[in-house]
Amino acid sequence: MAEVTAPAKVKKPSAINKRKNPIYMAFIYVICIFLLIICLFPFWLLLVNATRSSIEIQTHAVALIPSKYLQNNMNVFKGKDFNVLVGFKNSLIISASATILAVYFSSLTAYALTAYEWKLRDGFFGFIMGVMMIPGQVTAIGFYQMCYKLHLTNNQLMLILPSIAAPMMVFFMRQYLQASLSMEIVESARVDGAGEFYTFNMIVLPIMKPAMATQAIFSFVGAWNNLFTPMILLTKNEYKTMPVMVSLLKGDIYRTEYGAIYLGLFLTVLPLIIIYLLLARYIVAGVALGAVKG
């Protein structure tokens, strides 16, 4: 009697074959290009409006072709005490210093919460989480009164030093270390005679590069765009940051120069784009590392 064989199963096309389909790939490229245009469109409008006059902006809110009033908008800065170089210098000093301090000391605190066993560790972490829930506006009045009584109202250090305490960054760094740091590496360094700060600076920090790059972008953007604290602390023109200078462009009660405002906003956003482009590869590396470990 002949053996009855089961019908062969029809194999479904794999994901790899699907990706090789030219129609499928064309569809993916179209979607990506469409999303790219959506993301870049606000920046293009910002650049275009920076070259237009106030009358053009009020008459036609949206335009895709640059105009010829860029130099006129730059001349408005001279009458408004808007010094681009001074604003860039102050914003860069404050943002870069605040970012370096926040990232380093947050990483150091997260390392202490991860690598060491001590009695009040969980309580200390809970205290950090509690501080993270307090809005910054609640402490603004007390912070200003302290700076005023200490005669530090026109001192950039008061915008830099408080960045050492960054509860949200500590939480993020701690979560990253718990997933990526192997204590065997730390123990090996201690056996070899390495000090604790040497172990942290030379072994732990390189492991945390993707997390540090991600938090550095957020910290730099937050410090650069900070308007409220610099506005109440910095009263002299030589200490004002770019966001404060841009906000002062709207102070004319007779006429608002929208073109100059858009130009100031574009100059304010430009360094943020550059910082993101410089640190983007570390973020991508961190995402890829997390996917491989997962």
Side-chain angles (χ1 to χ4, degrees):
M1 184 177 179
E3 295 181 359
V4 179
T5 58
K9 295 182 179 180
V10 179
K11 295 183 178 181
K12 296 182 179 180
S14 62
I16 298 177
N17 294 332
K18 187 177 181 180
R19 292 173 184 172
K20 292 182 179 180
N21 189 343
I23 299 178
Y24 175 78
M25 294 302 299
F27 176 75
I28 294 298
Y29 279 117
V30 170
I31 295 297
C32 291
I33 293 173
F34 177 73
L35 295 177
L36 178 63
I37 293 174
I38 292 178
C39 294
L40 296 180
F41 186 70
F43 297 99
W44 178 251
L45 285 182
L46 185 63
L47 176 60
V48 170
N49 287 333
T51 63
R52 303 171 67 201
S53 64
S54 299
I55 298 177
E56 289 180 340
I57 296 174
Q58 292 175 335
T59 305
H60 302 286
V62 179
L64 300 179
I65 301 175
S67 186
K68 57 181 180 180
Y69 295 96
L70 178 61
Q71 185 62 42
N72 294 340
N73 294 331
M74 295 183 66
N75 293 334
V76 175
F77 292 163
K78 299 178 182 179
K80 299 283 188 177
D81 293 330
F82 189 102
N83 194 323
V84 177
L85 296 180
V86 173
F88 268 125
K89 183 191 71 173
N90 294 332
S91 293
L92 185 61
I93 292 174
I94 294 173
S95 302
S97 302
T99 299
I100 293 173
L101 291 179
V103 171
Y104 182 81
F105 283 98
S106 297
S107 302
L108 187 62
T109 305
Y111 175 69
L113 292 172
T114 304
Y116 297 101
E117 293 286 345
W118 39 293
K119 292 183 179 180
L120 299 179
R121 185 178 69 172
D122 295 336
F124 182 71
F125 180 70
F127 174 76
I128 293 176
M129 293 296 97
V131 173
M132 186 176 66
M133 302 300 174
I134 301 176
Q137 292 79 2
V138 175
T139 60
I141 298 177
F143 179 70
Y144 175 76
Q145 290 179 345
M146 181 193 70
C147 295
Y148 180 78
K149 291 179 180 179
L150 295 176
H151 304 286
L152 295 173
T153 52
N154 278 299
N155 195 326
Q156 294 179 346
L157 288 177
M158 301 312 297
L159 297 172
I160 297 174
L161 295 180
S163 61
I164 294 176
M168 187 64 191
M169 192 178 298
V170 172
F171 172 77
F172 181 87
M173 294 296 188
R174 177 179 177 270
Q175 297 301 111
Y176 185 86
L177 278 179
Q178 287 182 340
S180 60
L181 179 62
S182 175
M183 289 305 300
E184 287 78 7
I185 301 177
V186 178
E187 294 295 338
S188 300
R190 292 172 179 171
V191 171
D192 292 338
E196 293 299 324
F197 276 99
Y198 181 87
T199 302
F200 173 73
N201 293 326
M202 304 304 296
I203 297 177
V204 178
L205 281 185
I207 297 175
M208 301 179 65
K209 275 186 179 180
M212 293 171 61
T214 303
Q215 292 302 309
I217 290 178
F218 295 147
S219 178
F220 189 89
V221 171
W224 186 278
N225 290 334
N226 188 14
L227 174 63
F228 178 72
T229 309
M231 182 170 287
I232 63 176
L233 289 182
L234 305 177
T235 58
K236 296 182 179 179
N237 292 331
E238 60 266 25
Y239 296 125
K240 291 179 180 178
T241 59
M242 284 294 292
V244 175
M245 289 186 176
V246 173
S247 66
L248 296 178
L249 292 175
K250 299 184 293 185
D252 196 341
I253 61 176
Y254 299 104
R255 180 181 179 182
T256 301
E257 296 289 347
Y258 292 104
I261 294 175
Y262 277 109
L263 179 58
L265 292 174
F266 176 76
L267 294 176
T268 304
V269 171
L270 187 60
L272 302 180
I273 299 175
I274 296 174
I275 292 297
Y276 174 79
L277 294 177
L278 292 176
L279 299 179
R281 62 189 184 97
Y282 293 104
I283 300 177
V284 175
V287 173
L289 181 63
V292 172
K293 288 187 176 182

